[in-house]
Amino acid sequence: MIKVGVIGYGYWGPNVARNFYSCQGVKLTAISDVSEKRLALAKSHYPFIQDFKNAADLVRSKDVDVVAVVTPVFTHFGVARDALNQGKHVFVEKPFTSTKAQAEELIDLAAKKGLKIMVDHTFLFTGAVRKIKQIIDSGELGRLLFFDSVRVNLGLFQHDINVIWDLAPHDLSIMDYVIPDRPVAVSAHGSVHFEGNLEDVAYVCTEFENHGFIAHFHVNWLSPVKIRRMLISGDKKMLVWDDLSPDDKIKIYDRGVEFTSTNGQLKNGIEELLVSYRSGDMYAPKIDNTEALRAEVDYFVRCLEKNEEPFNDGRAGLQVVRLLEAADQSVKNNGRRIKL
Amino acid sequence: MIKVGVIGYGYWGPNVARNFYSCQGVKLTAISDVSEKRLALAKSHYPFIQDFKNAADLVRSKDVDVVAVVTPVFTHFGVARDALNQGKHVFVEKPFTSTKAQAEELIDLAAKKGLKIMVDHTFLFTGAVRKIKQIIDSGELGRLLFFDSVRVNLGLFQHDINVIWDLAPHDLSIMDYVIPDRPVAVSAHGSVHFEGNLEDVAYVCTEFENHGFIAHFHVNWLSPVKIRRMLISGDKKMLVWDDLSPDDKIKIYDRGVEFTSTNGQLKNGIEELLVSYRSGDMYAPKIDNTEALRAEVDYFVRCLEKNEEPFNDGRAGLQVVRLLEAADQSVKNNGRRIKL
Amino acid sequence: MIKVGVIGYGYWGPNVARNFYSCQGVKLTAISDVSEKRLALAKSHYPFIQDFKNAADLVRSKDVDVVAVVTPVFTHFGVARDALNQGKHVFVEKPFTSTKAQAEELIDLAAKKGLKIMVDHTFLFTGAVRKIKQIIDSGELGRLLFFDSVRVNLGLFQHDINVIWDLAPHDLSIMDYVIPDRPVAVSAHGSVHFEGNLEDVAYVCTEFENHGFIAHFHVNWLSPVKIRRMLISGDKKMLVWDDLSPDDKIKIYDRGVEFTSTNGQLKNGIEELLVSYRSGDMYAPKIDNTEALRAEVDYFVRCLEKNEEPFNDGRAGLQVVRLLEAADQSVKNNGRRIKL
Amino acid sequence: MIKVGVIGYGYWGPNVARNFYSCQGVKLTAISDVSEKRLALAKSHYPFIQDFKNAADLVRSKDVDVVAVVTPVFTHFGVARDALNQGKHVFVEKPFTSTKAQAEELIDLAAKKGLKIMVDHTFLFTGAVRKIKQIIDSGELGRLLFFDSVRVNLGLFQHDINVIWDLAPHDLSIMDYVIPDRPVAVSAHGSVHFEGNLEDVAYVCTEFENHGFIAHFHVNWLSPVKIRRMLISGDKKMLVWDDLSPDDKIKIYDRGVEFTSTNGQLKNGIEELLVSYRSGDMYAPKIDNTEALRAEVDYFVRCLEKNEEPFNDGRAGLQVVRLLEAADQSVKNNGRRIKL
């Protein structure tokens, strides 16, 4: 029986607690929150738990094997380090840490202690993202051309992080998971419209080494309409994921471009290049609807039981933080290209 | 009676010819095309016209007062200069010219000769764009925050220009028309996926001097789905234009963000910043459906009759070419910021 | 403090229990269900309740003032009559009863005993339906022309009632609530496709006395796609309610038809009738998102406290049952028109 | 070379003329219209034609082998009979005639004279309808369950026919074409809201002999929104055709219901009936975009050349008129069921 303590019972914490609570082989033993009101709520939901005002006390509890860190980003590093030092495995909310250096320190610490880190990139456990990965891995799309993500709405302003750190971790972790290649540079543009000096609109562009593959991200707290859409085109087929569509969230189009050229025998360079289009059927695969967080928590517990490394480990978290940090640096420097 | 000759009877030329033909106060007198087949088609449509294989002959015809240049971009400058030198007014397809210098030369030449130039930014004459301009001019949206444009589809590859020069002139001319401020810098990212060395996917970001206003453009020939959508948010209201929607193309949302801060008395910088959201009704104004090109041609003829300068003149064309040139330069330099 | 007992803890019962539980001035005291498994679940949710295997025992409990009947339709009458005889107010799931006669008997019994009946027409408490009622009451739509409702999906087959009794109560109760006139006749067509002899596809058409107003309902368990849409047209404006739309569920179109005729001076009866169309703006009013069942339960408790009759009382329930019964009779007689 | 004369140059006539004009093996020789203005327009489009004020003169022209009748419905019979009597083949606009008796007389006359009749059910030549027919014929949908058609918009009022005769011919001809069985009875409900005594909203329900298959049609001139949608469900797969969707007009869902019952061993009739759902992938086949009228005219000319009977002949026209007449009769009798 794995004993889990949850730190932070604000917006997302109750979901994490509920899923650990209902997970086979787990006992939810402790919850902490700085707010007495939230702590009382937690206690009313789970009367049997130990409740702590301070995270530091929870991580020292003997009744805790795993600590779930569901607190503001700037606190992740301190709490997770403390937990690892106390010999606890950690489940950390995304984004993993505030800096690359912090992420690397936590990874090293966990390795030294023989502990596991899982970063809560929940979207990787949705039926949609798993289906996209499966389709890309199968080669069905052919050579990948671009990845375009839009995640915009009239959003809740965060007070400690900008829109990139708030929304882009979802999309960057998905890109990192489904695209085989790794980006080599990041450029980003953002804009601050209100007091507080936090970007509320941003565009992030990542370059890759080969083939002209490019990935682009639009994140925005000031859009009148909510859009959650990814386009992933290959030279054989093209995929659209509309996460807000009630049905048929993923569509795969049998569309493409075919180029043939009369190599070496070009006359005027224009008329010899033959372009042809294919446009065939579309299909929308059935998507599994299991709650993503439930699947993720189950997977984490299974990894702990078998002593296996989860794929969304500290390294996966670091990869996202590295991109966020570079994007931030680029925004602060008027879109300067940041090599990774 | 104004006598018009049309140069180029390919994809768009027949539309231009038809609209001049049916315009009050105009006589369509001449058409030229390098292809005999296209010229024969023109002749079958308008048996009474003079037909020319060479543009140079058409611009010298005495039966021509106005020359419409509907040829590939790289030829615009030569043909238009020739026409102006022959004392003809010119109507030039977008983008105006291949370089800023060419545009400036044509503007100067026309001024010297007392002739008019109109650049065919057709979208500015749609009911939708005229409505958007009217809404923004009225101040209904409040302080403008951002402008986001997406124009993507599985597109016809052009052989002489990349996707920026092909698609972005529409959106840049619209931005130039409806947004009161002028951009001060451009950054762009693009990608080449096939032979021919032309970008087929691109992102263009323009900065403005004040207020954090930002404009961004996604143009793409490799998208499985067709999207034509603009978001224009202000701090009072927010506008969405979905040009593919069968009804209600423009929606204005009474949504916004309100920030109040207890100036000078911040305690911890976070809790004192008060954010509130408004979310009220939405409305979709009725849009005029007149064919845009018809309205544009009528307007041009009226300008000629009254000897008035059209608003989409050479200078408007130059403004778009300036942005295209800067975007191209940025793409070729890995997204380097180009000051205007 | 009003003490409430809930009978039936299957699909909908837990929602009813939860809303009474969290309602100001209410104490949830008892739950019964024929299934031990469901009863154990109820007990785990509300450890303090009295649990009963038999509804008959619950209605006799001294700790119950109000009985919520959330059981299969054919049991409503028996359970509700028993509860009223025990001096309890009743909250009955829709449809109220299986026959008009049963509904009338319950209404009489409640009147004699001075007790209240509320029929759970939850949709009447949604922000959308309340907004529609408000718009129609204001006269904004003008003279009402027709009401068209479609409620189809790949649905859960019920084993005791056909698709009309399963789905149409929603739409009939909405019509009854928002349309000022009362239907005078019903015709219906339905079809049975599988064993069990229950209609799974049906069309119900109701006639009204005046003005050519007509209301039509399509209910269907065999549709590949889910549609929840109502059209309500008036001669001044026209309303569409798409309950599955993520935004802008209700749209009001400033569209209409205007007829003028040169009375008495018709020449050939055709050219003298002048038709003109109006097509103006559309707007989508903001809709309140409060959970409908919560609002309904609060309203019921307020009615009990103030000893006021709820608008969705037994009579409202009877009106729906009368239409369902007539529709059923019509279906069994090949669409014969049934006068009400 | 087949010589064609077109009678009627109003709304649809120009399309018919244009397609015969551009059809291989056809010479457009004559056009007639009662309006001098329309006739002048025709003459300007086709300066070489013979123009007639009276249809009677056109059908007597020696330069006409085929007469296309594109006039108001109530004139079809007279004009077509006259043409057949003059030895001309006829192409008649839908609906074929105003009564069943007229249709039968024309069919007999054509047979006696050895002439062909084609009724212009244009929709049968769209890529969408041809694809639907192919899918149904292949048996992919399994046993057919129902056919539901909605064709509504804010429509042009006709002065001589009601909404059933105006809009339903499209949908009835499609049903007749794609559904193998024939209806045995019709019930219809309609409503008149304005002067002129023509129904502007109507519902038509057709019954079939076997299997519980049912077909229903909603036609409406008073809808604020335009809807063109058909649902065709089978017990194996289910099809949706949304004719207004920019992409993916036809979707085939791998969804269905499976019933198994423990025959003869029912205990309580309810729990023994086992229902299971299937919900698999969806696909949208590519649809051919050729102009339907062009394909139809080509097909007619090919039939004439080869002396073959077109499938959309007088008999197909009669089948639709029979349903329209029955629907009208039902509407006038409060929805009475009319046997066919």
Side-chain angles (χ1 to χ4, degrees):
Chain A
M1 189 66 76
I2 292 169
K3 286 170 285 181
V4 175
V6 174
I7 297 178
Y9 205 74
Y11 167 67
W12 190 242
N15 293 323
V16 172
R18 173 172 53 80
N19 277 290
F20 273 113
Y21 173 66
S22 62
C23 182
Q24 201 84 29
V26 167
K27 191 172 174 192
L28 179 68
T29 55
I31 294 179
S32 83
D33 199 289
V34 292
S35 149
E36 287 194 13
K37 204 172 143 194
R38 298 301 302 178
L39 204 52
L41 182 68
K43 193 82 185 175
S44 85
H45 288 161
Y46 307 102
F48 48 79
I49 52 146
Q50 292 181 298
D51 55 319
F52 296 98
K53 188 103 180 34
N54 293 315
D57 294 334
L58 185 146
V59 303
R60 274 157 191 81
S61 163
K62 285 177 191 158
D63 280 336
V64 169
D65 306 319
V66 174
V67 171
V69 183
V70 200
T71 54
V73 183
F74 70 91
T75 67
H76 287 183
F77 173 67
V79 176
R81 187 179 50 180
D82 206 6
L84 291 168
N85 276 325
Q86 296 296 324
K88 320 295 193 190
H89 303 288
V90 296
F91 176 94
V92 188
E93 207 36 50
K94 62 89 203 162
F96 184 23
T97 56
S98 295
T99 68
K100 207 170 57 173
Q102 292 176 346
E104 285 162 349
E105 187 175 334
L106 293 180
I107 291 168
D108 288 349
L109 182 57
K112 215 174 58 187
K113 294 268 187 176
L115 295 167
K116 307 255 177 278
I117 296 173
M118 183 183 254
V119 179
D120 180 16
H121 292 145
T122 320
F123 264 103
L124 307 188
F125 293 85
T126 58
V129 172
R130 282 182 289 140
K131 178 60 77 176
I132 293 171
K133 176 152 181 67
Q134 180 187 324
I135 288 165
I136 291 179
D137 285 352
S138 76
E140 186 177 345
L141 303 186
R143 171 162 71 94
L144 296 179
L145 305 175
F146 72 88
F147 178 106
D148 180 81
S149 166
V150 177
R151 183 175 300 271
V152 308
N153 56 278
L154 192 61
L156 278 180
F157 269 74
Q158 304 293 326
H159 294 301
D160 54 335
I161 53 175
N162 67 16
V163 72
I164 298 177
W165 285 80
D166 180 37
L167 298 182
H170 295 307
D171 307 306
L172 294 170
S173 66
I174 293 169
M175 176 188 74
D176 188 57
Y177 182 55
V178 304
I179 301 296
D181 286 343
R182 289 289 154 273
V184 294
V186 174
S187 310
H189 299 271
S191 195
V192 175
H193 294 94
F194 299 99
E195 281 195 48
N197 211 30
L198 293 171
E199 285 77 14
D200 42 38
V201 174
Y203 300 93
V204 179
C205 190
T206 64
E207 292 169 49
F208 288 70
E209 210 148 72
N210 299 306
H211 310 306
F213 183 76
I214 189 172
H216 187 274
F217 305 84
H218 176 197
V219 286
N220 195 319
W221 284 334
L222 295 175
S223 168
V225 284
K226 191 172 180 175
I227 307 173
R228 301 266 178 278
R229 199 192 46 231
M230 281 187 190
L231 308 175
I232 307 177
S233 283
D235 66 352
K236 288 200 191 136
K237 289 197 178 172
M238 299 176 169
L239 183 153
V240 180
W241 173 28
D242 182 348
D243 200 27
L244 301 181
S245 176
D247 295 298
D248 315 328
K249 286 182 195 297
I250 294 180
K251 295 181 179 175
I252 292 122
Y253 290 86
D254 185 17
R255 291 186 185 167
V257 188
E258 276 157 11
F259 278 72
T260 43
S261 73
T262 54
N263 283 18
Q265 303 171 18
L266 294 178
K267 278 190 184 153
N268 56 24
I270 285 174
E271 280 155 293
E272 314 311 312
L273 183 63
L274 303 169
V275 186
S276 62
Y277 293 84
R278 275 182 314 98
S279 183
D281 293 359
M282 175 273 273
Y283 78 95
K286 196 191 166 186
I287 305 295
D288 177 21
N289 279 321
T290 317
E291 187 186 357
L293 185 54
R294 174 172 210 100
E296 185 179 19
V297 159
D298 282 350
Y299 169 69
F300 186 37
V301 170
R302 232 168 23 249
C303 285
L304 294 177
E305 287 171 349
K306 302 181 192 164
N307 195 24
E308 287 174 0
E309 199 62 24
F311 73 86
N312 55 327
D313 61 358
R315 236 159 290 271
L318 166 61
Q319 180 62 9
V320 169
V321 170
R322 184 180 281 146
L323 293 166
L324 294 171
E325 213 176 47
D328 243 14
Q329 203 184 333
S330 180
V331 166
K332 305 304 186 219
N333 287 278
N334 291 310
R336 192 153 61 80
R337 182 170 178 261
I338 308 295
K339 283 198 191 170
L340 291 170
Chain B
M1 190 64 78
I2 293 169
K3 286 169 286 180
V4 175
V6 174
I7 298 177
Y9 205 74
Y11 167 69
W12 190 242
N15 293 323
V16 172
R18 172 172 53 81
N19 277 289
F20 273 112
Y21 173 67
S22 62
C23 182
Q24 201 82 28
V26 167
K27 192 172 175 192
L28 179 67
T29 55
I31 293 179
S32 84
D33 199 289
V34 292
S35 149
E36 286 195 14
K37 204 172 143 193
R38 300 301 301 179
L39 203 53
L41 183 68
K43 192 84 184 174
S44 85
H45 289 161
Y46 307 102
F48 49 80
I49 52 145
Q50 294 181 297
D51 55 318
F52 297 97
K53 188 104 178 35
N54 293 315
D57 295 334
L58 184 147
V59 303
R60 275 157 190 80
S61 165
K62 284 176 192 161
D63 280 337
V64 168
D65 306 319
V66 173
V67 170
V69 183
V70 200
T71 53
V73 183
F74 71 91
T75 67
H76 287 182
F77 173 67
V79 176
R81 185 177 53 179
D82 205 6
L84 291 167
N85 276 325
Q86 296 296 325
K88 320 294 193 192
H89 304 287
V90 295
F91 176 93
V92 188
E93 207 37 51
K94 63 91 203 160
F96 184 24
T97 55
S98 296
T99 69
K100 209 170 56 174
Q102 291 176 345
E104 283 163 350
E105 187 175 334
L106 293 180
I107 292 168
D108 288 350
L109 181 57
K112 216 173 60 187
K113 296 267 187 175
L115 295 166
K116 306 257 178 275
I117 297 173
M118 183 183 256
V119 179
D120 180 15
H121 292 145
T122 321
F123 264 103
L124 307 187
F125 292 85
T126 58
V129 172
R130 284 183 287 140
K131 178 61 76 174
I132 292 172
K133 177 154 180 65
Q134 180 187 321
I135 288 166
I136 290 178
D137 285 353
S138 76
E140 186 178 344
L141 303 186
R143 171 162 71 94
L144 296 180
L145 305 175
F146 72 91
F147 178 105
D148 179 82
S149 166
V150 177
R151 183 176 299 271
V152 308
N153 57 277
L154 192 62
L156 278 179
F157 270 73
Q158 304 293 326
H159 295 302
D160 55 336
I161 52 174
N162 66 16
V163 72
I164 299 178
W165 285 81
D166 180 37
L167 298 181
H170 296 306
D171 307 305
L172 293 170
S173 66
I174 293 168
M175 177 188 74
D176 188 59
Y177 182 55
V178 305
I179 301 295
D181 286 343
R182 289 289 154 273
V184 295
V186 173
S187 310
H189 299 271
S191 195
V192 175
H193 293 94
F194 299 99
E195 283 196 45
N197 211 28
L198 293 171
E199 284 77 14
D200 43 37
V201 174
Y203 301 93
V204 179
C205 189
T206 64
E207 292 168 50
F208 289 70
E209 209 150 73
N210 298 307
H211 309 307
F213 184 76
I214 190 172
H216 187 273
F217 305 83
H218 176 197
V219 286
N220 195 319
W221 283 334
L222 294 176
S223 168
V225 285
K226 192 172 179 175
I227 307 174
R228 301 265 179 279
R229 200 194 44 232
M230 280 187 191
L231 308 176
I232 307 177
S233 282
D235 66 351
K236 288 199 190 136
K237 289 196 181 173
M238 299 176 169
L239 184 153
V240 179
W241 174 28
D242 182 350
D243 200 27
L244 301 181
S245 175
D247 295 298
D248 314 329
K249 286 182 195 299
I250 293 178
K251 295 181 179 176
I252 292 121
Y253 290 86
D254 185 16
R255 291 187 184 166
V257 188
E258 275 157 12
F259 278 71
T260 43
S261 71
T262 53
N263 283 19
Q265 301 172 19
L266 294 180
K267 276 192 188 152
N268 57 23
I270 286 174
E271 282 155 292
E272 314 312 312
L273 184 62
L274 304 169
V275 187
S276 62
Y277 294 83
R278 276 183 314 97
S279 183
D281 293 359
M282 175 272 275
Y283 79 95
K286 196 190 166 187
I287 305 296
D288 177 22
N289 280 321
T290 317
E291 186 185 358
L293 184 53
R294 174 170 211 103
E296 186 179 18
V297 159
D298 281 351
Y299 169 69
F300 185 37
V301 171
R302 232 167 25 248
C303 284
L304 294 176
E305 288 170 349
K306 300 181 193 164
N307 195 23
E308 287 175 1
E309 198 63 23
F311 73 87
N312 55 327
D313 62 358
R315 234 157 292 271
L318 166 62
Q319 180 61 10
V320 170
V321 170
R322 184 179 282 146
L323 292 167
L324 293 171
E325 212 175 47
D328 243 13
Q329 202 184 335
S330 180
V331 166
K332 305 304 188 217
N333 289 276
N334 292 310
R336 192 152 61 80
R337 182 170 178 261
I338 308 296
K339 283 197 190 170
L340 292 168
Chain C
M1 188 65 77
I2 292 169
K3 287 169 284 179
V4 175
V6 174
I7 297 177
Y9 206 74
Y11 167 68
W12 190 243
N15 293 323
V16 173
R18 174 173 53 79
N19 277 290
F20 273 113
Y21 172 68
S22 62
C23 181
Q24 201 82 29
V26 167
K27 191 172 174 192
L28 179 67
T29 55
I31 294 180
S32 82
D33 199 290
V34 292
S35 148
E36 287 194 13
K37 204 172 144 194
R38 299 301 302 177
L39 203 52
L41 183 68
K43 192 83 186 176
S44 85
H45 289 160
Y46 307 103
F48 48 80
I49 51 145
Q50 295 181 297
D51 55 318
F52 296 98
K53 187 105 179 37
N54 293 315
D57 294 334
L58 185 147
V59 302
R60 274 157 193 79
S61 165
K62 282 175 193 162
D63 280 336
V64 168
D65 305 319
V66 174
V67 170
V69 184
V70 200
T71 53
V73 183
F74 71 90
T75 67
H76 287 183
F77 173 66
V79 176
R81 186 178 52 180
D82 204 7
L84 290 168
N85 276 325
Q86 295 296 325
K88 320 296 192 188
H89 303 288
V90 294
F91 176 94
V92 188
E93 207 37 51
K94 64 91 204 160
F96 185 23
T97 55
S98 297
T99 69
K100 207 170 58 173
Q102 292 176 345
E104 284 164 349
E105 187 175 333
L106 293 181
I107 293 168
D108 288 349
L109 181 56
K112 217 173 57 187
K113 296 267 187 175
L115 295 166
K116 306 257 178 273
I117 297 172
M118 183 183 258
V119 179
D120 179 16
H121 293 145
T122 321
F123 264 102
L124 308 187
F125 292 85
T126 57
V129 172
R130 282 182 290 141
K131 179 60 79 175
I132 292 172
K133 174 151 181 71
Q134 180 186 323
I135 288 165
I136 290 179
D137 285 353
S138 76
E140 186 177 344
L141 303 187
R143 171 162 71 95
L144 295 180
L145 305 175
F146 72 88
F147 178 106
D148 179 81
S149 166
V150 177
R151 183 175 298 272
V152 307
N153 57 278
L154 192 61
L156 278 178
F157 269 74
Q158 304 294 326
H159 294 302
D160 54 335
I161 52 174
N162 66 16
V163 72
I164 298 177
W165 285 80
D166 180 36
L167 299 182
H170 296 306
D171 307 305
L172 293 171
S173 67
I174 293 169
M175 176 187 76
D176 188 58
Y177 183 55
V178 305
I179 301 296
D181 286 344
R182 289 288 153 274
V184 295
V186 173
S187 310
H189 298 271
S191 194
V192 175
H193 293 93
F194 298 100
E195 282 196 46
N197 211 29
L198 293 172
E199 284 77 14
D200 43 37
V201 173
Y203 300 93
V204 179
C205 189
T206 64
E207 292 169 49
F208 288 71
E209 208 149 74
N210 299 307
H211 310 309
F213 184 75
I214 189 173
H216 186 273
F217 305 84
H218 176 196
V219 286
N220 195 320
W221 284 334
L222 294 176
S223 168
V225 284
K226 192 171 178 175
I227 307 173
R228 300 267 179 276
R229 199 192 47 231
M230 280 187 190
L231 309 175
I232 307 177
S233 282
D235 66 351
K236 287 198 188 136
K237 289 197 179 172
M238 297 174 171
L239 183 153
V240 180
W241 173 29
D242 182 350
D243 200 29
L244 301 181
S245 176
D247 295 300
D248 314 329
K249 285 182 194 299
I250 293 179
K251 296 181 178 175
I252 292 121
Y253 290 86
D254 185 17
R255 291 188 184 164
V257 188
E258 276 157 10
F259 278 71
T260 42
S261 72
T262 54
N263 282 18
Q265 300 171 21
L266 295 178
K267 277 191 185 155
N268 57 23
I270 287 175
E271 281 155 291
E272 314 311 314
L273 183 63
L274 304 169
V275 186
S276 62
Y277 293 84
R278 274 183 314 97
S279 182
D281 293 0
M282 175 271 276
Y283 80 96
K286 196 190 166 186
I287 305 296
D288 177 20
N289 280 321
T290 317
E291 186 185 357
L293 185 53
R294 174 174 209 100
E296 185 179 19
V297 159
D298 282 349
Y299 169 69
F300 185 37
V301 170
R302 242 180 2 261
C303 283
L304 294 177
E305 288 169 351
K306 300 181 194 164
N307 195 24
E308 287 175 2
E309 199 62 23
F311 73 86
N312 54 329
D313 60 358
R315 234 159 292 271
L318 167 62
Q319 180 62 9
V320 169
V321 170
R322 184 180 282 148
L323 293 166
L324 294 170
E325 211 175 48
D328 242 14
Q329 202 184 335
S330 180
V331 166
K332 304 306 186 215
N333 288 277
N334 292 310
R336 193 152 60 80
R337 180 170 180 261
I338 308 296
K339 284 199 190 170
L340 292 169
Chain D
M1 189 65 78
I2 293 169
K3 286 168 285 179
V4 175
V6 174
I7 297 177
Y9 206 74
Y11 168 68
W12 190 243
N15 293 324
V16 172
R18 175 173 51 80
N19 277 290
F20 274 112
Y21 173 67
S22 62
C23 182
Q24 200 84 27
V26 167
K27 191 172 175 192
L28 179 68
T29 55
I31 293 179
S32 83
D33 198 289
V34 292
S35 149
E36 288 195 11
K37 203 172 143 194
R38 299 301 301 178
L39 203 52
L41 182 68
K43 194 84 186 175
S44 85
H45 288 161
Y46 308 102
F48 48 80
I49 52 146
Q50 294 182 298
D51 55 317
F52 296 98
K53 188 105 177 38
N54 293 314
D57 295 333
L58 185 146
V59 303
R60 274 158 191 81
S61 165
K62 283 177 192 162
D63 280 335
V64 168
D65 305 318
V66 173
V67 171
V69 183
V70 200
T71 53
V73 183
F74 70 91
T75 68
H76 287 183
F77 173 67
V79 177
R81 187 178 53 179
D82 204 7
L84 290 168
N85 276 325
Q86 295 298 323
K88 320 295 193 190
H89 302 289
V90 295
F91 176 94
V92 188
E93 206 37 50
K94 63 88 204 162
F96 184 22
T97 56
S98 296
T99 68
K100 207 170 57 172
Q102 291 176 345
E104 285 164 349
E105 187 175 334
L106 294 181
I107 292 168
D108 289 348
L109 182 56
K112 216 173 59 187
K113 295 266 187 176
L115 296 166
K116 306 256 177 277
I117 297 172
M118 183 183 256
V119 179
D120 180 15
H121 293 145
T122 321
F123 264 103
L124 308 188
F125 293 84
T126 58
V129 172
R130 282 183 289 140
K131 179 61 79 176
I132 291 172
K133 175 152 181 69
Q134 180 186 324
I135 288 166
I136 290 179
D137 285 353
S138 76
E140 186 178 344
L141 302 187
R143 171 162 71 94
L144 296 180
L145 305 175
F146 73 89
F147 178 106
D148 180 82
S149 166
V150 177
R151 183 176 299 272
V152 308
N153 57 278
L154 193 61
L156 278 179
F157 270 74
Q158 304 293 327
H159 295 301
D160 54 335
I161 52 174
N162 66 15
V163 72
I164 298 178
W165 286 80
D166 180 36
L167 298 182
H170 296 307
D171 306 305
L172 293 171
S173 66
I174 293 168
M175 176 188 75
D176 188 59
Y177 183 54
V178 304
I179 301 295
D181 286 343
R182 290 287 153 274
V184 294
V186 173
S187 309
H189 299 270
S191 195
V192 175
H193 293 94
F194 299 99
E195 282 197 45
N197 210 30
L198 293 172
E199 284 77 14
D200 43 37
V201 174
Y203 300 93
V204 178
C205 190
T206 64
E207 291 168 50
F208 288 69
E209 209 149 74
N210 299 308
H211 310 308
F213 184 76
I214 189 172
H216 186 272
F217 305 84
H218 177 197
V219 286
N220 195 319
W221 283 335
L222 294 175
S223 168
V225 284
K226 191 172 179 174
I227 308 174
R228 300 267 179 277
R229 199 192 46 232
M230 280 187 191
L231 308 176
I232 308 177
S233 282
D235 65 352
K236 287 198 190 137
K237 290 197 178 173
M238 298 176 169
L239 183 154
V240 180
W241 173 28
D242 182 349
D243 201 28
L244 302 181
S245 176
D247 295 299
D248 314 329
K249 285 182 194 300
I250 293 179
K251 295 180 179 176
I252 291 121
Y253 290 86
D254 184 17
R255 290 188 186 165
V257 187
E258 276 157 11
F259 277 72
T260 43
S261 72
T262 53
N263 281 20
Q265 301 171 19
L266 295 179
K267 277 191 185 156
N268 57 23
I270 287 174
E271 281 155 291
E272 314 312 313
L273 184 63
L274 304 169
V275 186
S276 62
Y277 293 84
R278 273 183 315 98
S279 183
D281 292 0
M282 175 271 275
Y283 79 97
K286 196 190 167 186
I287 305 296
D288 177 22
N289 279 322
T290 318
E291 187 185 356
L293 185 54
R294 176 174 208 99
E296 185 179 18
V297 159
D298 282 350
Y299 169 70
F300 185 37
V301 171
R302 236 172 15 252
C303 285
L304 293 176
E305 288 170 349
K306 301 180 191 164
N307 195 26
E308 287 175 1
E309 199 62 24
F311 72 86
N312 55 328
D313 60 359
R315 234 159 292 271
L318 166 61
Q319 180 62 9
V320 170
V321 170
R322 184 179 281 147
L323 293 167
L324 294 170
E325 212 175 48
D328 242 15
Q329 202 184 335
S330 180
V331 166
K332 304 305 186 218
N333 288 277
N334 292 309
R336 193 153 60 80
R337 181 170 178 261
I338 308 295
K339 284 198 190 171
L340 292 169

